[in-house]
Amino acid sequence: DTEVTQTPKHLVMGMTNKKSLKCEQHMGHRAMYWYKQKAKKPPELMFVYSYEKLSINESVPSRFSPECPNSSLLNLHLHALQPEDSALYLCASSQTFSNTGELFFGEGSRLTVL
Amino acid sequence: AQTVTQSQPEMSVQEAETVTLSCTYDTSESDYYLFWYKQPPSRQMILVIRQEAYKQQNATENRFSVNFQKAAKSFSLKISDSQLGDAAMYFCAYSNAGGTSYGKLTFGQGTILTVHP
């Protein structure tokens, strides 16, 4: 099983809503990532978890709150988002937080903030 | 800081022909990794090929090969016998081999490849 599964695939929310994006992998990977991607742009790193601990936060606004309940799951909690936060949110995993390893990406969750 | 530049926003190729996507990068490090990732429309991004900077031999994966020129800081991707399924956005990416940015990818702006039947 070499899949990273993200739910939901599409999400529309208002600026006052609270929602969550979920990511799951069963490859035994110990590093998991959240990226944000705007249309026709490269992914931008948001957060990295290594062995369930937050290793990197790329100065992301606090309205985005990551959570790693266990080694297979990664959540991104969303609250009080802005329309400019509309984007494709990609989850990825790798064996370890290593530059040599391949990143396995999910298909993404397309978020629209009204 | 490292930078990755893809100077071709869009490229097109006829099916069965060969196409080369360009990538240049800037770094002061001597040890690093370079990658090409493919992102088809509405599908997940996948790794196409990886090159380790300390290896002089160019990486190849079936129809995909790279031309790695370390001194020129150039890392182009050649796709031979292009297929319709090769149509995608291609990202060149860089990663340090160590230091504080260990494990972080720096992506280029991407090249949209269209394959004509």
Side-chain angles (χ1 to χ4, degrees):
Chain A
D1 186 1
T2 57
E3 282 195 352
V4 175
T5 304
Q6 291 187 242
T7 55
K9 292 196 185 313
H10 300 274
L11 179 63
V12 179
M13 59 186 292
M15 289 190 285
T16 59
N17 292 158
K18 285 186 179 181
K19 297 286 184 182
S20 297
L21 305 181
K22 297 184 185 301
C23 175
E24 190 169 5
Q25 58 88 12
H26 294 290
M27 295 177 278
H29 290 175
R30 303 312 299 269
M32 297 186 76
Y33 309 73
W34 279 115
Y35 282 87
K36 173 183 177 180
Q37 186 179 28
K38 292 282 198 178
K40 296 188 178 181
K41 295 293 186 182
E44 299 171 20
L45 183 64
M46 299 175 71
F47 303 103
V48 181
Y49 275 83
S50 179
Y51 291 88
E52 295 99 69
K53 292 192 189 313
L54 183 63
S55 296
I56 291 179
N57 177 343
E58 290 287 277
S59 302
V60 179
S62 60
R63 57 185 184 268
F64 294 92
S65 176
E67 178 194 21
C68 189
N70 59 56
S71 60
S72 299
L73 292 175
L74 185 67
N75 298 321
L76 186 63
H77 303 298
L78 314 171
H79 173 55
L81 295 192
Q82 303 296 310
E84 59 265 29
D85 297 322
S86 298
L88 182 68
Y89 288 84
L90 297 172
C91 175
S93 71
S94 61
Q95 282 192 328
T96 58
F97 182 38
S98 163
N99 50 11
T100 63
E102 175 179 353
L103 286 186
F104 291 81
F105 285 87
E107 292 190 12
S109 293
R110 189 164 300 280
L111 173 67
T112 302
V113 181
L114 300 177
Chain B
Q2 292 78 29
T3 59
V4 177
T5 302
Q6 293 178 248
S7 59
Q8 306 153 319
E10 298 185 24
M11 290 283 286
S12 64
V13 64
Q14 291 293 132
E15 200 175 4
E17 297 294 308
T18 295
V19 65
T20 298
L21 308 185
S22 301
C23 174
T24 58
Y25 59 95
D26 188 27
T27 183
S28 57
E29 303 291 333
S30 59
D31 196 12
Y32 49 86
Y33 296 84
L34 296 164
F35 309 85
W36 279 98
Y37 277 89
K38 168 187 176 182
Q39 187 177 33
S42 300
R43 291 180 59 192
Q44 62 207 118
M45 188 177 299
I46 58 171
L47 179 67
V48 174
I49 201 164
R50 174 179 61 203
Q51 175 78 43
E52 297 162 55
Y54 64 86
K55 289 188 176 179
Q56 293 192 342
Q57 186 173 4
N58 289 327
T60 62
E61 287 287 343
N62 301 314
R63 298 182 295 108
F64 298 87
S65 62
V66 297
N67 183 3
F68 173 48
Q69 300 289 327
K70 191 171 184 179
K73 296 180 181 173
S74 170
F75 182 61
S76 60
L77 175 69
K78 185 170 83 171
I79 306 174
S80 303
D81 185 25
S82 297
Q83 300 175 0
L84 295 177
D86 295 332
M89 172 84 95
Y90 286 81
F91 291 102
C92 180
Y94 167 101
S95 177
N96 274 342
T100 57
S101 57
Y102 187 72
K104 287 175 59 175
L105 283 177
T106 299
F107 286 95
Q109 290 299 302
T111 298
I112 297 173
L113 177 66
T114 301
V115 181
H116 298 289

